[in-house]
Amino acid sequence: MKRTNRLHRINTWSLTTACLFVTGAWAWGATPLGTAFTYQGKLELDGAPVNNTSPGCELRFSLWDDPSAGTQLGSTQTLTNVSVTKGLFTVELNGGGQFGPDALNGEARWLEISVACPSGGALAPLAPRQPLTAAPYALQTRGIFVDGAGNVGIGTTS
């Protein structure tokens, strides 16, 4: 009889734990990731790394469908007072969806970047445009398309 009660307690504990895990996983997965991504770059001036931490640099980013001509996608994103140390900087782009809901749809894209160091100076375009590359595990979503409204197509964009 003690053995039966012990098994009953273990099964109840396991069921309660499983319910908490499923509930926690649902709550965790309920918040979508959004469209923001991190971009890291290196700035050099006459072969030397730029150092400008105060007030920082102004960086202007636009997204294009071609490495040299093409069409701009969405609006330009301007970031001011970006700290650049030993030439290195990190920014978050498209956090407000500036490039549009369907801009990052799996087709090749390039960033056009203009820089002013310090912020407020004359902007200088950098060349060439920088390609956006996929994260290796993101490639496993091939054949799945999600449009700006959240509609999913498998093997089709409709």
Side-chain angles (χ1 to χ4, degrees):
M1 183 132 188
K2 286 184 181 180
R3 185 175 181 149
T4 304
N5 288 341
R6 183 174 175 217
L7 287 175
H8 178 70
R9 281 187 293 234
I10 290 172
N11 289 340
T12 303
W13 180 83
S14 298
L15 181 61
T16 303
T17 303
C19 288
L20 288 174
F21 176 76
V22 169
T23 303
W26 175 80
W28 177 70
T31 304
L33 287 175
T35 60
F37 62 93
T38 301
Y39 180 82
Q40 297 174 319
K42 182 175 183 180
L43 292 175
E44 292 182 348
L45 181 61
D46 297 326
V50 171
N51 277 299
N52 199 324
T53 56
S54 179
C57 298
E58 180 176 335
L59 302 171
R60 188 170 290 170
F61 297 87
S62 55
L63 188 67
W64 295 80
D65 64 359
D66 187 84
S68 58
T71 302
Q72 181 176 343
L73 304 168
S75 60
T76 300
Q77 184 173 352
T78 301
L79 303 172
T80 57
N81 303 322
V82 175
S83 180
V84 180
T85 305
K86 297 181 183 176
L88 304 175
F89 68 91
T90 301
V91 295
E92 184 178 281
L93 299 176
N94 205 39
Q98 292 88 345
F99 299 143
D102 297 324
L104 302 174
N105 63 2
E107 295 179 17
R109 300 291 185 243
W110 289 264
L111 281 177
E112 185 171 282
I113 307 168
S114 296
V115 179
C117 285
S119 283
L123 284 162
L126 303 180
R129 290 180 182 162
Q130 298 299 301
L132 291 183
T133 57
Y137 279 107
L139 293 174
Q140 292 305 316
T141 60
R142 291 183 195 135
I144 298 175
F145 178 81
V146 181
D147 68 13
N151 299 316
V152 177
I154 299 175
T156 180
T157 58
S158 60

